[in-house]
Amino acid sequence: MFKAVVIEKDESGQRVALQDLDATALPEGNVQIDVDYSSLNFKDALAITGKSPVVRKFPMVPGIDLAGTVTFSSHARWSQGDRVVLNGWGVGETHWGGFAQRASLDGDWLVPLPDVFTPRQAMAIGTAGYTASLCVEGLLNNGVRPDQGEILVTGATGGVGSVAIALLTKAGFTVAASTGKSSEVTYLKELGATTIIDREELSAKGKPLQKERWAGVVDSVGSFTLANACAQTRYGGTVTACGLAQGMDFPASVAPFILRGVSLLGIDSVMAPTERRLTAWTRLSNDLEPAALDSIAAEVSLEESIAAAGQLMDGTVRGRIIVDVNR
């Protein structure tokens, strides 16, 4: 038997509860894992609260992240005792995810847990931090350099924003952090941000072309915030887009792209190929201090994760939420 958060849905609506399940309930997979930790991401919160049709089949165990130890494998790359990390691949949407004490998965979805991180620390990073690393790689690969100017990070107190600030600072960039939480200024400056911007400056409709401010952008918000960020990006700059906290719409003009040569890079973490994942995790292991992860993460139990999902949707969460599936 093992414990799992299970989402069920029928004509009467959606229900979410902590359940005791038999091992025979696990879905098919060529690797089985004893899960140590998972993490609560925006997509998990959408799934648990039912505020967006994230879950594609029911019943579903949410949790797009997990870290744990292989207990069985018929996959060529993995052996019993290997420590692994999973991010994305539709887990928690179409395949049972990490909010459980056990998981059965496709070995192609896994990457090795970097030696410098414990499973708990890996989940303090989770999909949010891994996505932040993909964004930083996108900026660097597109030629953005520290001497070209500030990098704007939107949704700065969230998981993506928090890790992005730390990684960009380590890479030598000057970072401006956009947030609606004035109480978190100290937290953001401790991560490395030098300028704090009220998100209201970016969240309303703005001119199609505005004063040039940013050499690059890491945006996890979308909608008007992303449109304004593009309108304020310097000539030849790069904007990486990875989220939709404000909305999925993009009410923008072509002006920044055809008059300033701004590049807009879409960052997908769910189906990113293994090579890109390994590069992202290598940057995280080289540039992110393991001890610093404590400042961006809070921990909840498996049962507490249900209520925490609502808090994340309400915007009252700072940084990352780790889920200890064994308490």
Side-chain angles (χ1 to χ4, degrees):
M1 301 292 289
F2 66 98
K3 293 185 182 298
V5 173
V6 181
I7 305 173
E8 297 177 303
K9 188 175 184 179
D10 56 26
E11 301 79 22
S12 62
Q14 177 171 301
R15 300 176 303 282
V16 186
L18 183 65
Q19 297 185 19
D20 290 309
L21 301 176
D22 189 90
T24 57
L26 286 168
E28 291 186 8
N30 52 25
V31 178
Q32 292 188 9
I33 297 168
D34 277 349
V35 181
D36 294 316
Y37 292 91
S38 185
S39 66
L40 181 66
N41 296 278
F42 188 69
K43 186 178 287 186
D44 302 315
L46 289 172
I48 291 171
T49 60
K51 292 188 176 181
S52 182
V54 168
V55 177
R56 305 302 180 186
K57 56 191 289 190
F58 296 90
M60 179 56 60
V61 174
I64 65 173
D65 290 331
L66 65 82
T69 303
V70 174
T71 57
F72 166 82
S73 174
S74 60
H75 190 282
R77 282 171 47 205
W78 307 110
S79 301
Q80 184 177 356
D82 287 344
R83 300 199 311 165
V84 293
V85 174
L86 176 133
N87 308 109
W89 290 116
V91 170
E93 301 175 71
T94 59
H95 190 97
W96 283 16
F99 283 23
Q101 294 173 322
R102 298 184 65 180
S104 179
L105 303 163
D106 185 333
D108 288 344
W109 300 341
L110 305 172
V111 296
L113 174 68
D115 291 337
V116 297
F117 298 131
T118 65
R120 187 185 188 280
Q121 290 168 336
M123 289 298 94
I125 296 168
T127 283
Y130 147 65
T131 302
S133 187
L134 290 174
C135 289
V136 174
E137 287 293 324
L139 293 174
L140 293 171
N141 291 340
N142 222 40
V144 180
R145 303 188 309 272
D147 62 357
Q148 293 174 334
E150 283 186 297
I151 306 297
L152 171 67
V153 175
T154 67
T157 61
V160 173
S162 295
V163 178
I165 292 169
L167 291 176
L168 288 164
T169 300
K170 181 71 173 182
F173 288 97
T174 302
V175 179
S178 170
T179 181
K181 302 175 182 177
S182 58
S183 61
E184 302 293 359
V185 170
T186 299
Y187 165 75
L188 293 170
K189 289 189 173 181
E190 287 175 349
L191 289 175
T194 57
T195 304
I196 309 298
I197 296 172
D198 191 316
R199 70 181 175 200
E200 295 298 326
E201 294 185 28
L202 298 167
S203 61
K205 183 178 181 180
K207 294 180 180 179
L209 208 60
Q210 302 172 32
K211 180 181 178 181
E212 296 180 61
R213 300 181 69 179
W214 321 117
V217 178
V218 174
D219 177 67
S220 60
V221 179
S223 192
F224 287 116
T225 297
L226 176 58
N228 287 320
C230 291
Q232 296 175 7
T233 297
R234 295 183 177 185
Y235 188 92
T238 298
V239 178
T240 58
C242 66
L244 44 71
Q246 186 179 8
M248 192 178 288
D249 58 324
F250 183 43
S253 161
V254 298
F257 312 113
I258 65 174
L259 298 180
R260 290 181 181 165
V262 171
S263 297
L264 177 59
L265 302 183
I267 303 297
D268 167 56
S269 62
V270 178
M271 295 297 177
T274 298
E275 299 76 23
R276 197 173 298 163
R277 292 168 182 265
L278 292 172
T279 299
W281 276 99
T282 297
R283 175 171 295 279
L284 290 161
S285 61
N286 289 338
D287 292 354
L288 202 59
E289 292 294 334
L293 294 170
D294 291 336
S295 68
I296 67 171
E299 183 179 305
V300 298
S301 68
L302 201 54
E303 186 170 20
E304 291 167 341
S305 68
I306 300 172
Q311 295 164 7
L312 181 56
M313 291 303 301
D314 291 339
T316 60
V317 170
R318 180 185 82 178
R320 299 281 294 138
I321 297 180
I322 303 167
V323 181
D324 183 347
V325 303
N326 296 302
R327 76 170 179 89

